[in-house]
Amino acid sequence: MKSIPRKKLWKYLIWPGLFLVAAGFTIGLVSDSWGTVPLAFIIAGAIVIGVWLIWQSQESKWWGRRSTQAGTNALAATLAVLVILGLINFLANRYEVRVDLTETQLFTLAPESKQLVQNLKQPVKVWVFDVAQNSQDRELLENYQKQNSNFKFEYVDPQARPGLTEKFGVKDYGEVYLESGKKRQLVQVINVNDRLSEIRLTNSLQQITSTSTAKVYFLQGHGERSLSPGEGAISQAVQALGNKSYTTAQLNLVEKSTVPSDANVVVVAGPKRELFTTEVKALQTYLNQGGNLVLMIDQGTDPKLDSLLKEWGVKLDNRLAVDVSGNVALGPAVPIVTDYGEHPITKDFGNGISFYRLARPVDTTPIPGIEATKLLLTKPYPNTWAESDLNSENLEFNQGKDLKGPLTLGVALKRKLPAATKATPTPSKPSASESRMVVLGDSDFATDGSFTQQLNGDVFLNSVSWASQQDSQPLSIRPKEPKNRRINLSASQAGILALSSLLILPLIGFAVAVILWWLRR
């Protein structure tokens, strides 16, 4: 029997080395555990392969060949790429980083949604009664679930679980319900064209988890903004308050000499005529007893609230805030605000945009016992100033008459109450230890159309929420409805598009290729 030469044994040493490495990786991948056994196989195989490489180098001097060096460089580069890709995948699994480049941050929860879910104290579950699971809807629900383990969701086939379907009263596919304890609420009905909405889900979540309902009264009778849809109305703002579990009502202080005891906050939105002295005194009494007020007073109006504002160290400037920083679309009479004070109302605004048409500055003077915070600040001079000459067509700063920016367009104030004057608590309004007031030099920003743009709606809602002393309500940036980017094509337009993409464009490409070939020929 012939013995195998020792040189041939060394030659085949590469194969057990590769086998050991492959076995180690296989064990690790199958078991999903990189413990002692798979690492031992991989290390042993690497040692065997290393010994084989050393023997080959000494035996055939192949290491010094140019082809070997080129192959080694290619192998090293390939291994480096694989190591880098593996490291990237490891870091991606360990540390999740998401970048949302959509215009309305479609795949990122709004700060208000995050804050609301993170503060959940009791379990909440979303039931989606549908057979198909839309990836966009599911990703939205998963984003909510990541914020708090108390948030759960489940897809249900209505036909497979008739008992649960009957329990919720489901009538059609696509119905989405929210459940918390014994409370159940329909969020929306989803379909191919109407996907699950973050703003509807957040509003429903806020309503179902709210333990109290706050009452907001809107003063009427002096040309204030209408609560019903129409030109210059604030119906969208009123609806948004309803979505946040607020109850709204009109208030006429001529018919009622006092503010109702269940009022958490009174909003005076853009009065055009002056209030009676008795009405002003009724508001003062309300504030002195722990009430809260949101004043939105437009430039060029005088509602005769000076006596009330003076007690709080506030003065409304009669000049017009102008902004000549170059926004052609809005014009100089619409100051743009990107600078906000450090206050719960504006804490999450960053450098977001809000705008105020025909606004007036709001001045403050320190008063003992009253804490005042500037909320809305315009750009500094020479971009903005308060213009005194409202009849001039040429806007220019006049020293001694006009006021240099930055201008304050809104302030938040609070005042501690003496123990003897604290209001009697009611079921909807607990005993207050302070009064709060927000004064804004404009009401146009909250009107229909403007309310949904940029941060305008958030300024209004956060002002009302903070003033009403509903500290359980999140004060942040609301989720925005995604914009409809669909392109509706007629049959002829669709035919032209199909013809151009399938025939005309390929023919043009082919013709260009033929011309280039002919020129190079």
Side-chain angles (χ1 to χ4, degrees), residues 161-182:
R161 300 178 66 178
L164 189 64
T165 303
E166 185 179 354
K167 175 183 173 182
F168 279 86
V170 177
K171 297 180 178 61
D172 199 1
Y173 284 96
E175 292 186 10
V176 181
Y177 284 85
L178 192 61
E179 183 180 35
S180 178
K182 295 182 179 180

Side-chain angles (χ1 to χ4, degrees), residues 111-345:
E112 184 185 63
S113 301
K114 288 182 179 180
Q115 194 178 118
L116 183 63
V117 180
Q118 289 168 358
N119 293 336
L120 284 177
K121 299 297 189 295
Q122 71 272 19
V124 173
K125 189 167 185 177
V126 175
W127 297 89
V128 184
F129 291 90
D130 205 351
V131 178
Q133 297 188 20
N134 181 270
S135 59
Q136 181 179 320
D137 295 345
R138 189 176 182 89
E139 184 170 3
L140 176 62
L141 292 169
E142 288 173 349
N143 284 341
Y144 275 90
Q145 193 173 54
K146 290 175 184 177
Q147 309 302 319
N148 194 325
S149 59
N150 280 327
F151 185 95
K152 305 289 185 183
F153 71 91
E154 184 176 342
Y155 279 84
V156 178
D157 183 350
Q159 292 185 347
R161 300 178 66 178
L164 189 64
T165 303
E166 185 179 354
K167 175 183 173 182
F168 279 86
V170 177
K171 297 180 178 61
D172 199 1
Y173 284 96
E175 292 186 10
V176 181
Y177 284 85
L178 192 61
E179 183 180 35
S180 178
K182 295 182 179 180
K183 296 180 180 179
R184 299 186 190 95
Q185 182 173 327
L186 177 66
V187 178
Q188 70 177 103
V189 180
I190 58 176
N191 52 51
V192 176
N193 297 320
D194 191 11
R195 302 315 319 168
L196 185 59
S197 165
E198 180 189 351
I199 191 168
R200 295 185 192 177
L201 184 53
T202 295
N203 287 337
S204 298
L205 190 62
Q206 197 162 38
Q207 292 169 9
I208 203 169
T209 57
S210 179
T211 56
S212 61
T213 301
K215 191 71 173 283
V216 181
Y217 282 92
F218 285 84
L219 188 67
Q220 297 288 289
H222 319 89
E224 288 90 351
R225 300 287 182 177
S226 172
L227 309 189
S228 302
E231 186 178 355
I234 54 172
S235 63
Q236 291 179 331
V238 173
Q239 182 181 356
L241 286 173
N243 292 336
K244 291 170 70 68
S245 297
Y246 285 93
T247 302
T248 59
Q250 298 185 24
L251 173 63
N252 192 319
L253 286 177
V254 174
E255 298 173 354
K256 296 181 178 180
S257 57
T258 60
V259 176
S261 59
D262 64 343
N264 292 87
V265 61
V266 174
V267 178
V268 183
K272 294 181 173 61
R273 297 182 294 275
E274 63 185 60
L275 278 66
F276 289 114
T277 304
T278 54
E279 294 179 286
V280 178
K281 288 183 178 179
L283 293 176
Q284 287 176 309
T285 303
Y286 170 65
L287 285 171
N288 293 336
Q289 293 177 347
N292 310 290
L293 202 58
V294 174
L295 300 176
M296 301 189 296
I297 312 300
D298 295 317
Q299 195 277 334
T301 63
D302 184 11
K304 300 298 181 183
L305 290 169
D306 294 346
S307 59
L308 183 151
L309 294 172
K310 187 176 181 181
E311 292 181 6
W312 291 71
V314 178
K315 180 178 175 56
L316 298 173
D317 197 309
N318 291 323
R319 289 169 287 196
L320 175 68
V322 297
D323 186 341
V324 294
S325 57
N327 193 296
V328 179
L330 296 176
V334 186
I336 294 176
V337 170
T338 56
D339 187 12
Y340 303 92
E342 294 184 4
H343 192 272
I345 293 175

Side-chain angles (χ1 to χ4, degrees), residues 330-506:
L330 296 176
V334 186
I336 294 176
V337 170
T338 56
D339 187 12
Y340 303 92
E342 294 184 4
H343 192 272
I345 293 175
T346 54
K347 65 182 177 67
D348 289 332
F349 286 5
N351 60 351
I353 294 174
S354 58
F355 57 90
Y356 307 86
R357 188 175 68 89
L358 301 177
R360 67 195 309 167
V362 179
D363 302 324
T364 55
T365 303
I367 297 290
I370 293 179
E371 181 182 328
T373 305
K374 296 179 179 180
L375 296 178
L376 313 171
L377 301 168
T378 67
K379 298 180 179 68
Y381 179 81
N383 287 321
T384 68
W385 69 85
E387 177 64 45
S388 57
D389 188 359
L390 304 182
N391 296 320
S392 175
E393 295 182 359
N394 298 320
L395 290 174
E396 59 181 6
F397 179 80
N398 296 303
Q399 189 69 38
K401 293 183 179 181
D402 300 337
L403 177 66
K404 290 183 178 181
L407 307 173
T408 302
L409 302 184
V411 294
L413 311 101
K414 62 181 181 179
R415 178 177 65 185
K416 292 290 183 182
L417 294 180
T421 60
K422 289 183 180 179
T424 304
T426 65
S428 62
K429 182 181 176 184
S431 178
S433 60
E434 65 183 23
S435 291
R436 295 181 179 180
M437 184 162 65
V438 178
V439 182
L440 304 168
D442 179 47
S443 68
D444 186 82
F445 78 97
T447 57
D448 295 353
S450 296
F451 179 83
T452 56
Q453 296 187 43
Q454 303 297 335
L455 296 179
N456 286 13
D458 300 299
V459 172
F460 174 81
L461 291 175
N462 287 4
S463 296
V464 174
S465 295
W466 178 82
S468 66
Q469 303 194 41
Q470 299 295 301
D471 295 329
S472 61
Q473 291 274 12
L475 299 178
S476 192
I477 299 175
R478 303 173 302 133
K480 301 293 190 291
E481 289 283 11
K483 293 184 179 180
N484 186 355
R485 299 296 189 188
R486 278 192 199 90
I487 300 176
N488 296 317
L489 299 177
S490 63
S492 59
Q493 290 173 327
I496 293 172
L497 182 63
L499 183 66
S500 62
S501 59
L502 296 175
L503 183 62
I504 297 176
L505 290 179

